[in-house]
């Protein structure tokens, strides 16, 4: 069975295809600099409509994690680590994601991580791995 | 304060058969609950002039077992006012809406119901010879979690629990006290799905779902329906009981982002506004509350509500429930006296409303909270918007 992937729309395609050049991008308000995630057509801070996607470093910090042990989906054999990470440039922007290339129990709250993309259907999923010590 | 809540009373409650994989038409369950609530209030369907429902039309995923459309097709109420939906102040949002409609003079007696049939719907889907093709893609809010293997609220809420454990030193044994309390109460409740004794060893050795949440931290899906009649205060005099239940205050403000991961993560999100807006509408304080019937889709949700409602400071919830004596039937704050959704079954918030009424009327039998309880708090939801209600004896 195939893993689920996000259905691409004109509104979200920039995000889900951003990894094609190895770069993570988010929408940002050109007027006040606020990052918008999930994507929005107007800025919730200043109501500005000049909104464009901008590249970020791909660095992030783990703020919560859970090791999933239940087989919800045939293509996701447990155990695997799900984490919540906050983006370095805008800590109020978070991604629910997986931390890969390590054992699930190696990931601590506060751990610095960096993005690594995984192709799934038409999307490049932003996963993360621990920054080398 | 002249408030909308004081213009209506809960005059009757009803419940259908409740259980796992009942294999019956869920609309029939909803009708059974409605008929029981009408009889409990001493009314007939001809007396009802409003309908309110959480969720919407019957859905094949089992989450909704009946909407207004399904119930009206049988009961033929011809409602002057009705509401149904999901974007409300918790599962109990329709109660708040109905109280507003009554206060505005639109209705005299509103029938409120919620039906779920998750276990039968799942069994049907598994045995379906012609299953609907499953799209490989996900959309809407699910796109931000499901492609990463975070399929279930068990995963999303485990992340908050992880934060709470790390920040405040909360432990598995403390969450376990909530699960054990629910099971002990369920043993005294005829309709509860799981009544077998549960020990701390059972709890700790059960299979892990998503750390730190194990099997008994998760509630139990079921089939069943609950209904209640909300009547205008003066019209309540025409009903069966001399002491219809009063609504002291209701809260459903949202003060956080409607998101599972972008805003509050130390607690279940979307509870704080519901709790604070409820307390703002009453002179009563947490110390005046005799019992709490609070949403426990997971043990952690219950812990979040305990803290959010102000029964203890933020971060102290684990120590508050530890050992279970404080939250037991004869404790200082009995919690989920019917067994909660953890053991009695996931009636989508309506088990809590039902139990609060049963207890305030003194009709809970073996599980009756001692000392003639006068005030119960009821909460539903969280994650999705929460709702908080303070009910008092009439
Ligand atoms: Zn802006």
């Amino acid at each position: 069975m195939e893993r689920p992937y996000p259905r691409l729309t004109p509104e979200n395609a920039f995000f889900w295809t951003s990894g094609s050049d190895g770069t993570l991008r988010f929408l940002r308000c050109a007027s006040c600099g606020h990052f918008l995630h999930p994507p929005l057509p107007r800025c919730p801070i200043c109501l500005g409509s000049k909104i464009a996607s901008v590249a970020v470093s791909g660095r992030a910090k783990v703020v919560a994690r859970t090791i999933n042990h239940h087989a919800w989906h045939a293509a996701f054999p447990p155990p695997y680590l799900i984490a919540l990470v906050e983006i370095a440039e805008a800590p109020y922007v978070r991604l629910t994601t997986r931390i890969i290339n390590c054992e699930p129990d190696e990931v601590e709250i506060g751990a610095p991580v960096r993005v690594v993309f995984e192709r799934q259907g038409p999307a490049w999923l932003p996963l993360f791995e621990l920054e080398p010590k | 304060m002249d408030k909308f809540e004081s213009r209506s009373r809960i005059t009757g409650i009803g419940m259908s058969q409740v259980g796992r994989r009942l294999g019956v038409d869920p609309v029939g369950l909803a009708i059974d609950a409605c008929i029981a609530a009408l009889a409990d209030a001493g009314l007939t369907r001809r007396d009802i002039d409003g309908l309110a429902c959480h969720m919407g039309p019957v859905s094949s995923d089992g989450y909704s077992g009946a909407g207004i459309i399904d119930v009206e097709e049988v009961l033929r109420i011809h409602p002057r006012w009705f509401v149904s939906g999901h974007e409300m102040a918790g599962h109990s949002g329709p109660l708040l809406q109905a109280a507003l409609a009554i206060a505005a003079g639109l209705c005299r007696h509103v029938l409120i119901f919620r039906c779920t049939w998750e276990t039968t719907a799942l069994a049907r889907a598994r045995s379906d010879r012609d299953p609907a093709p499953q799209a490989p893609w996900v959309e809407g809010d699910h796109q931000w979690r499901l492609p990463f293997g975070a399929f279930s609220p068990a995963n999303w809420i485990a992340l908050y629990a992880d934060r709470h454990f790390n920040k405040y030193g909360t432990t598995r044994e403390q969450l376990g006290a909530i699960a054990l309390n629910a099971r002990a109460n369920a043993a005294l409740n005829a309709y509860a799905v799981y009544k077998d004794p549960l020990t701390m060893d059972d709890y700790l050795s059960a299979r892990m779902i998503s750390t730190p949440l194990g099997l008994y931290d998760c509630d139990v899906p079921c089939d069943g329906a609950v209904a209640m009649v909300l009547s205008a205060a003066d019209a309540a005099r025409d009903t069966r009981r001399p002491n219809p239940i009063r609504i002291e205050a209701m809260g459903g403000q949202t003060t956080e982002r409607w998101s599972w991961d972008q805003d509050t993560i130390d607690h279940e999100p979307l509870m704080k506004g519901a709790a604070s807006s409820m307390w703002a509408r009453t002179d009563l304080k947490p110390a005046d509350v005799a019992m709490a019937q609070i949403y426990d889709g997971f043990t952690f949700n219950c812990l979040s509500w305990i803290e959010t409602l102000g029964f203890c400071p933020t971060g102290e919830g684990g120590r508050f429930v530890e050992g279970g004596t404080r939250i037991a039937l004869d404790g200082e704050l009995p919690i989920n006296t019917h067994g909660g959704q953890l053991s009695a079954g996931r009636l989508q918030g309506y088990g809590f409303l039902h139990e609060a009424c049963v207890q305030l009327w003194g009709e809970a039998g073996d599980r009756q909270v001692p000392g003639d309880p006068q005030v119960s708090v009821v909460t539903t939801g969280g994650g999705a918007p929460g709702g908080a209600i303070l009910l008092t004896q009439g």
Side-chain angles (χ1 to χ4, degrees), chain A residues 4-7 12 16 37 39 63-70 72-73 76 80 84 94 96 98 109 126-127, chain B residues 136-139 143-144 147-149 151-152 155 158-159 162-163 207-211 257 261-263 265:
Chain A
Y5 54 81
R7 183 181 209 178
N12 70 12
W16 292 117
H37 183 77
V63 294
R65 75 277 195 254
T66 179
I67 300 172
N68 177 68
H69 290 271
H70 185 78
W72 306 104
H73 192 284
F76 275 91
Y80 54 91
L84 203 50
R94 303 195 191 110
T96 298
R98 281 187 295 128
I109 288 182
L127 309 183
Chain B
W137 43 260
V138 292
E139 59 186 344
Q143 70 183 296
W144 307 111
F148 303 92
F151 287 99
S152 166
N155 301 128
L159 291 164
D162 180 52
R163 298 269 304 174
R207 70 187 175 89
M208 193 53 72
I209 301 296
S210 196
T211 57
R257 286 179 69 182
D261 54 13
Q262 297 301 311
D263 196 349
I265 53 172

Side-chain angles (χ1 to χ4, degrees), chain A residues 46-86:
Chain A
C46 74
L47 303 185
S49 58
K50 281 178 63 184
I51 289 165
S53 72
V54 298
V56 295
S57 64
R59 287 182 294 109
K61 187 173 83 175
V62 173
V63 294
R65 75 277 195 254
T66 179
I67 300 172
N68 177 68
H69 290 271
H70 185 78
W72 306 104
H73 192 284
F76 275 91
Y80 54 91
L81 185 103
I82 299 165
L84 203 50
V85 304
E86 57 182 39

